Amino acid sequence: MLIVENSPLYSAEFFANDDPWTYLANLRENHPVSIHRRSDGYEFYALTRYEDVYSAYVDYARLSSSYGTMIDGSYRPEKDSASGRMLIVADPPAHSAIKKPIKSAGFNRAMLMKIGDIVRKNIRSVLADLSVGDQLDFSQVVAPELPRGVLEALFGIGTDDAQRLLEATRTMIGYRDEVYAGNSPLDSLVDSQLDVLDFMSELIDQRIRMESSDDMIGFLAQCVATGEMPRDVALLNGLNVAVGGNETTPHTASLTVDTINNEWAEWRKLVDGKVSCEVATQEFLRWTSTNSYVQRLAVDDFAVGDHVIPAGSFVTLWNMSANRDASVFEQPSSFLIDRPNNKQIAFGAGIHRCIGAPVATLEIQTFIEELASWDKAFVVVEPPQRLHSNFMLGLTELQVEVTKAEDLKS
C-alpha cells in the first residue's frame, strides 16, 4: 500500500494553488487505498474509487462519524465534543432520534416550496439589478442570495440576520483562508462558532416565548420547551444546518458560473431546450463536488479490496475523486451537461447523506433555471481565486462582467 509522507491532501494551499484533481486521479488509478501521514504523527487512509467510497458511506457500523468528519477534527481517535448530539457526528440510534425532528420541520414538502419561492425571488431580484457592462465579484454579490433565502425560511429571520449568519458560517468553513479569517484563523474560527451559537440561543428563547413552531428552529425550540430535545442538541443542530446550507451552495453557484464560462457549447444545450434543468443540475453537482471529502473512524477492521484498514484508523472518503471515476462515469473528466443516469455522490450516501441535499439541489436548480432564462450572461474576466481549504472546494473571488446573452450564441 502506498504511504505518502507529508501528504498534500492536508494542505489548504495545495487545493487553492495546485491540482488536487490530477493528484487524486493518480491515486484512484494506481493506489485506490493509500495512507497519508504528516510530520506531527496524524495519518489517515484515503479512499478514492467510487465503489469504495460508496461502500464506506453505507457501512456506518464499522466506520463511525462520531469522531469528527474533518481532518484535524480530532487529533487522536477520540469522540468529537458534539458526538451523539449533532447530526453529522452521531451514529445510530442517536442519529435517527436527532434526524427525525430536523427533517420533519426543516425539510418537508411545504418548507421546500417556501424555500424555493424565496430563493427564486432573491435570485431574480439580484439579476434584475444588473446591467450590461457591469463588473462585479459574483462570489460576493450574487452567490450569497441562494443560502440567504434558505436561512430566511428555515430560521424565520430577516435579511440582516441572514447576512450575519452567512458571514459567521463562511468564516467557520474558510477559517484557513486569510480572505475570511485574517491572520488569526483559530481565533476567527472560535469567535464565529460562538457567534452562531449565541444567535441560535436567542432564536430558541424567542420562539419559546412566542410558542411558535412555524419554522425549523421554532419546531426545535418547542421540543426544548416540552423536554423532548435537550437545549444543547437544538443549538448544535441549528448551527449544523446553518453551516452546511450556507457554504456549499454559494461555492457551487460560483463554480457553476465559472464552468459555464469554460463550457459555452454545453451550456447552450440547456438554453436551447435540448436538456432539462434537472439533468443539468446533477452534472453541475458532480463536476463541482464542493464538499471534497468526509472523514470517518474505523471502529472495527474494514476490508477494502485486498487491503484491511485496522480498527482505530481515520478513513477519508473523497467525494470529488469518486465523482470522476471512469468505472461509473463515461468521460469522467469532461463536463457533459446532458449526462444520463448521473450517479454523483456530491452529498454522500446512506444514512449520512446530507440532510440538506434536497434543499441544496433545489437552490442550484433554481439558480440554473433563472440563469438560463436571463437575457444577460456572466463572462469571467479574471482568474478565479480558489478557497484555501481541503474540505470545501470553492471560490473566494470570481470577477465577472455582464453581457447580452445573445452576444454569446456563437
Side-chain angles (χ1 to χ4, degrees):
M1 184 184 299
L2 175 69
I3 299 176
V4 182
E5 302 289 348
N6 296 315
S7 171
L9 294 183
Y10 287 98
S11 171
E13 287 70 27
F14 177 73
F15 281 76
N17 301 317
D18 213 311
D19 186 5
W21 295 101
T22 298
Y23 183 82
L24 287 164
N26 178 62
L27 291 179
R28 186 173 61 247
E29 180 68 24
N30 301 303
H31 308 283
V33 184
S34 52
I35 298 175
H36 296 257
R37 291 175 175 164
R38 198 168 58 189
S39 58
D40 63 2
Y42 196 104
E43 76 172 36
F44 62 79
Y45 287 76
L47 306 184
T48 52
R49 296 190 309 182
Y50 185 102
E51 179 183 0
D52 297 336
V53 169
Y54 186 91
S55 296
Y57 264 118
V58 299
D59 196 343
Y60 57 83
R62 287 186 295 174
L63 294 179
S64 172
S65 299
S66 295
Y67 297 78
T69 59
M70 296 174 62
I71 295 168
D72 286 328
S74 300
Y75 179 75
R76 297 187 298 270
E78 297 176 349
K79 289 194 173 183
D80 188 279
S81 59
S83 176
R85 297 181 296 154
M86 187 162 67
L87 189 62
I88 60 170
V89 287
D91 295 322
H95 181 272
S96 301
I98 297 169
K99 185 176 183 178
K100 184 177 180 180
I102 295 173
K103 186 174 182 179
S104 63
F107 302 97
N108 56 62
R109 181 172 297 181
M111 182 59 76
L112 285 174
M113 291 179 63
K114 183 177 182 180
I115 289 171
D117 290 342
I118 296 176
V119 170
R120 191 177 301 278
K121 180 191 69 175
N122 288 357
I123 294 171
R124 284 183 177 176
S125 177
V126 72
L127 293 182
D129 287 340
L130 299 176
S131 302
V132 172
D134 285 351
Q135 293 195 2
L136 61 140
D137 181 353
F138 178 90
S139 70
Q140 299 297 321
V141 177
V142 181
E145 294 302 323
L146 280 71
R148 182 175 289 119
V150 176
L151 292 177
E152 291 172 9
L154 286 179
F155 295 97
I157 57 179
T159 301
D160 291 343
D161 283 337
Q163 182 62 34
R164 173 186 169 187
L165 266 185
L166 283 170
E167 291 173 357
T169 56
R170 176 161 288 187
T171 301
M172 285 180 61
I173 292 295
Y175 76 97
R176 296 170 73 180
D177 197 304
E178 289 187 3
V179 172
Y180 298 147
N183 297 319
S184 303
L186 293 180
D187 289 342
S188 297
L189 173 60
V190 172
D191 289 346
S192 59
Q193 287 175 333
L194 292 175
D195 191 25
V196 175
L197 288 172
D198 286 344
F199 184 75
M200 293 299 159
S201 184
E202 293 170 7
L203 286 180
I204 288 174
D205 287 341
Q206 181 189 70
R207 297 301 193 278
I208 290 175
R209 289 194 303 270
M210 297 171 59
E211 298 184 352
S212 170
S213 58
D214 294 338
D215 48 54
M216 187 200 74
I217 200 68
F219 186 87
L220 297 186
Q222 300 317 310
C223 290
V224 172
T226 60
E228 297 175 65
M229 177 178 286
R231 186 183 181 88
D232 62 335
V233 172
L235 287 170
L236 288 169
N237 286 283
L239 178 145
N240 181 34
V241 170
V243 173
N246 288 4
E247 285 314 296
T248 52
T249 51
H251 284 309
T252 302
S254 294
L255 291 168
T256 292
V257 168
D258 188 47
T259 300
I260 293 170
N261 184 76
N262 296 321
E263 302 284 353
W264 281 113
E266 290 297 305
W267 177 246
R268 290 305 311 177
K269 294 179 183 177
L270 175 63
V271 174
D272 293 340
K274 297 178 181 178
V275 58
S276 71
C277 285
E278 292 88 346
V279 169
T281 297
Q282 294 302 308
E283 180 65 352
F284 278 113
L285 292 173
R286 182 193 77 88
W287 187 251
T288 58
S289 292
T290 307
N291 186 190
S292 58
Y293 78 91
V294 297
Q295 181 172 262
R296 300 286 188 259
L297 184 90
V299 293
D300 198 354
D301 290 352
F302 182 72
V304 184
D306 296 330
H307 304 290
V308 175
I309 298 174
S313 303
F314 285 122
V315 185
T316 52
L317 288 54
W318 289 88
N319 303 330
M320 61 184 289
S321 176
N323 278 339
R324 300 286 176 95
D325 192 333
S327 68
V328 177
F329 304 99
E330 186 178 353
Q331 300 180 60
S333 297
S334 296
F335 176 77
L336 305 178
I337 202 167
D338 55 355
R339 183 180 298 277
N341 303 316
N342 199 319
K343 298 180 180 179
Q344 59 84 14
I345 52 171
F347 298 113
I351 67 167
H352 280 291
R353 183 174 186 266
C354 176
I355 192 172
V359 171
T361 303
L362 174 63
E363 290 176 72
I364 297 303
Q365 183 172 322
T366 301
F367 172 64
I368 290 170
E369 290 170 354
E370 293 302 313
L371 207 59
S373 62
W374 195 32
D375 62 352
K376 302 177 185 69
F378 294 114
V379 176
V380 178
V381 294
E382 293 182 14
Q385 299 300 304
R386 286 189 278 169
L387 177 68
H388 283 70
S389 172
N390 63 350
F391 181 70
M392 187 73 66
L393 304 182
L395 302 176
T396 59
E397 184 177 353
L398 182 64
Q399 293 294 333
V400 298
E401 181 174 340
V402 180
T403 188
K404 293 181 180 179
E406 62 184 23
D407 292 345
L408 300 171
K409 288 184 177 180
S410 59

